Amino acid sequence: DLIITGNLSTELFKSAMKKEFEMTDIGLMHYFLGIEVQQSKGEVFISQEKYASDVLKRFNMLNCKPTPTPVAIGLKLSKEDEGSFVDPTFFKRLVESLMYLMATRPDIMYGVSLISRFMESPKDSHWQARKIILRYVHGTRNHGILYSSLDDFKLIGYTDSDSARSIDDRKSTSSYTFHFGTGV
């Protein structure tokens, strides 16, 4: 499989490829590696609604009550949290699934990075934190990233830090995002 992106020169490239190789042009891309692509004049919207639903189903959260934020306000997690241990293999599968979902969902990145710190020996409190992320995903399954053509593309960056908030090692979590035009 081959994905070709670009402007008018892509037609020349496709013509040259067809001369050298046997190939079929199946038109605009709609789905690739779990990423749904909707294209219209001057816009491309990418999302993972089906994948998000599959993740919710896999972790028994398909019928949960949605929540408006991916992380509980004031949430502090620690390696020393009380509670019983959770199966680390199952917890790692969850974190891996959420990490792939971040390809089109940067809004869950902080919560996923927070729970990923506890993959080696997760406890009940870490498991409960993942529930909030999944409840948020449930209510926002159709969210994604919109890229649209603009006459004036600007690169804008944002950064933030939580200043030594980690209870275990007093490290800070820093984050950044860059917007190019309308897309992250």
Side-chain angles (χ1 to χ4, degrees):
D1 290 346
L2 178 66
I3 298 172
I4 302 171
T5 63
N7 52 21
L8 297 175
S9 62
T10 58
E11 292 301 321
L12 296 172
F13 179 74
K14 286 194 291 189
S15 296
M17 292 292 287
K18 285 181 180 178
K19 288 179 185 174
E20 294 292 322
F21 305 100
E22 182 180 327
M23 63 182 269
T24 304
D25 184 354
I26 58 172
L28 295 176
M29 179 173 55
H30 299 286
Y31 193 81
F32 183 72
L33 296 176
I35 297 176
E36 298 157 36
V37 181
Q38 298 171 13
Q39 300 179 58
S40 60
K41 186 168 177 70
E43 292 185 341
V44 176
F45 179 72
I46 59 172
S47 65
Q48 292 173 287
E49 187 171 354
K50 182 187 178 315
Y51 181 76
S53 295
D54 292 345
V55 170
L56 292 167
K57 184 177 179 181
R58 186 177 320 129
F59 295 99
N60 299 317
M61 296 290 288
L62 196 53
N63 297 314
C64 66
K65 182 180 174 187
T67 188
T69 59
V71 178
I73 296 169
L75 177 69
K76 292 186 179 184
L77 298 174
S78 171
K79 294 176 190 174
E80 307 303 322
D81 283 350
E82 297 291 321
S84 58
F85 286 97
V86 176
D87 177 13
T89 303
F90 195 64
F91 193 80
K92 287 176 186 177
R93 283 190 193 130
L94 167 74
V95 171
E96 290 166 357
S97 297
L98 290 172
M99 284 184 162
Y100 188 68
L101 189 57
M102 289 185 328
T104 62
R105 299 293 304 273
D107 53 336
I108 65 170
M109 196 170 293
Y110 176 77
V112 175
S113 68
L114 187 63
I115 65 169
S116 70
R117 296 175 186 174
F118 308 100
M119 288 196 305
E120 292 306 314
S121 54
K123 294 186 179 173
D124 284 331
S125 60
H126 311 131
W127 191 245
Q128 293 305 315
R130 75 78 172 115
K131 264 186 159 176
I132 296 169
I133 298 169
L134 290 173
R135 287 176 55 203
Y136 175 76
V137 167
H138 175 66
T140 59
R141 279 184 267 192
N142 62 343
H143 286 197
I145 300 175
L146 174 68
Y147 296 95
S148 65
S149 60
L150 299 171
D151 292 334
D152 186 26
F153 275 105
K154 290 184 180 176
L155 179 64
I156 301 171
Y158 301 93
T159 185
D160 194 11
S161 178
D162 69 359
S163 300
R165 186 170 171 147
S166 174
I167 297 169
D168 297 319
D169 55 15
R170 304 303 301 160
K171 289 185 179 177
S172 299
T173 297
S174 296
S175 181
Y176 59 88
T177 182
F178 288 92
H179 297 253
F180 186 60
T182 61
V184 176

